[in-house]
Amino acid sequence: TVNAESGEIVIDNGEFEYGDIPKDEIRFDGRTAIVTGAGAGLGRAYALELARRGANVVVNDLGGARDGAGAGSASPADQVVAEIREAGGQAVANYDNVSTAEGGANIVKTAQDTFGSVDILINNAGILRDKSFVKMEPDNWQAVLDVHLKGAYNVTRPAFAAMKANGYGRIVMTTSAAGLYGNFGQSNYAAAKMGLVGLMNTLKLEGAKYGIKVNTVAPIAASRLTEDVMPPDLFARSKPEYVAPLVLYLCSDRCPVSGNIYNAGMGFFNRAAVVTGPGRVLVKDGEDPSPEIILENLKAISDLAGGKEYRDLNAQVGDALAAFQAPAAGA
Ligand code: NAD
């Protein structure tokens, strides 16, 4: 639930307080998980660990090149499925392209036909096509948007429908520090990755009454996407297995939060959020605001002290309207 006063999320722990959270194992028995781009890197680590903890896993991977080029190959997904089965787990491979609506529908259908349901979806498939902005041709822009943002839409839409019908769901989006904070040469990727945060923000609201929780991870991990962009010492410390625990927790029935963003990498975890400052009303007795008034008040309107994290649009608009009832000091 959301505290309307503070905009803070109020976590309902059920019968226990944070102090005495049971230390029992987090399991996924009887749950079906889809992991896109699970033939390598982070997705592979999520798929292996979910299966080890009892989940039925759809291992989706197109098997293309790092920039998304090439016809693709079944082998990465097949290899992960073989690893899961050798360890005694349940998994099925799927080679569909998340960039197409048919691909997304077929990934979800694979889960339903093989295991009977979809409880968990990790939108993880990704490619990179880095270029400084003027050199960012439309095809490099579009290819990255298509896999990350449209890809998540294509798979999440049918999965969300199934979860709604079941009254249970866990969805994890994959953003990036490049999107949250910016990174030179990644305009396409940063835009797509922040698009996923916007998608989460709406789905957390639309899913709330159906038991669907939607959260986002910004991982840091050694993979083929980062082998040449990460300093070698950082690369060595960044196992995908150090990101997986957070993502598995967000996928579990123990997860009480929805709409949160977490950084995870190297065993370090923290939460990132959009914070909005208290602001100031700058209309004085019939006098319209002007650019000069903004200039004069830039410090006050930029101040984040006493800022809030809003959980939906209405809460923010409500505070903006309330600001007229109680003009800020000095206004
Ligand atoms: P990776 O290249 O090892 O794995 C990505 C997988 O996605 C590949 O196996 C690839 O074949 C698959 N894939 C690509 N396009 C696909 C498509 N259209 N349909 C289906 N599968 C497709 O990379 P990774 O580092 O494990 O990245 C996983 C996710 O994490 C990506 O979304 C990436 O942007 C994100 N991410 C990674 C890091 C990091 O430090 N590694 C940082 C921030 C975000």
Side-chain angles (χ1 to χ4, degrees):
T1 57
V2 176
N3 181 330
E5 283 282 288
S6 65
E8 281 293 314
I9 196 160
V10 177
I11 297 170
D12 181 359
N13 282 333
E15 293 184 351
F16 57 87
E17 293 298 320
Y18 267 119
D20 45 54
I21 289 174
K23 301 270 187 292
D24 51 336
E25 204 187 345
I26 289 182
R27 298 281 313 174
F28 297 90
D29 305 283
R31 300 276 188 213
T32 296
I34 293 170
V35 185
T36 69
L42 287 158
R44 173 179 169 274
Y46 305 152
L48 290 173
E49 191 59 18
L50 280 165
R52 205 177 68 74
R53 289 169 180 267
N56 307 314
V57 184
V58 176
V59 178
N60 158 261
D61 206 296
L62 176 73
R66 176 176 126 136
D67 65 358
S73 127
S75 63
D78 285 340
Q79 237 171 305
V80 173
V81 167
E83 271 183 85
I84 289 173
R85 290 191 182 148
E86 269 162 40
Q90 304 281 333
V92 65
N94 168 284
Y95 321 113
D96 278 291
N97 184 348
V98 299
S99 312
T100 68
E102 308 79 64
N106 201 46
I107 292 166
V108 173
K109 188 173 181 296
T110 301
Q112 291 171 320
D113 289 353
T114 314
F115 301 118
S117 70
V118 189
D119 305 293
I120 295 162
L121 166 61
I122 305 175
N123 286 302
N124 167 80
I127 61 168
L128 281 183
R129 292 197 184 184
D130 297 359
K131 296 235 165 134
S132 60
F133 189 55
V134 174
K135 294 181 188 145
M136 183 65 71
E137 306 289 0
D139 59 331
N140 293 319
W141 173 265
Q142 199 57 49
V144 165
L145 267 288
D146 281 353
V147 175
H148 293 275
L149 185 55
K150 197 167 153 209
Y153 163 79
N154 287 331
V155 189
T156 305
R157 191 159 167 254
F160 198 86
M163 290 172 180
K164 240 179 109 171
N166 282 347
Y168 182 88
R170 295 288 181 269
I171 298 171
V172 176
M173 306 290 180
T174 307
T175 188
S176 165
L180 294 174
Y181 312 117
N183 199 27
F184 195 98
Q186 294 199 306
S187 54
N188 52 357
Y189 182 68
K193 288 307 203 187
M194 277 313 264
L196 289 163
V197 172
L199 179 60
M200 169 191 75
N201 284 339
T202 287
L203 295 187
K204 88 182 169 210
L205 299 174
E206 294 194 11
K209 72 174 174 195
Y210 304 105
I212 303 172
K213 299 201 188 294
V214 192
N215 291 285
T216 296
V217 64
I220 293 179
S223 79
R224 71 172 180 173
L225 288 190
T226 49
E227 58 195 352
D228 57 355
V229 286
M230 235 189 225
D233 57 327
L234 193 64
F235 191 80
R237 269 189 290 150
S238 305
K239 295 187 203 176
E241 288 75 13
Y242 282 12
V243 174
L246 177 91
V247 171
L248 261 79
Y249 175 73
L250 295 175
C251 289
S252 75
D253 56 12
R254 312 302 294 275
C255 171
V257 297
S258 194
N260 283 0
I261 306 166
Y262 296 94
N263 288 299
M266 304 172 290
F268 178 76
F269 305 95
N270 63 6
R271 186 160 84 87
V274 174
V275 174
T276 305
R280 176 166 300 190
V281 174
L282 295 177
V283 205
K284 285 181 205 159
D285 308 325
E287 200 185 306
D288 290 341
S290 64
E292 291 74 21
I293 290 178
I294 304 297
L295 173 68
E296 273 167 48
N297 290 276
L298 187 63
K299 190 160 182 260
I301 65 179
S302 303
D303 195 1
L304 290 177
K308 284 187 189 177
E309 182 185 3
Y310 291 109
R311 289 284 162 179
D312 67 14
L313 173 154
N314 292 327
Q316 193 273 329
V317 173
D319 269 5
L321 294 176
F324 287 90
Q325 310 304 316

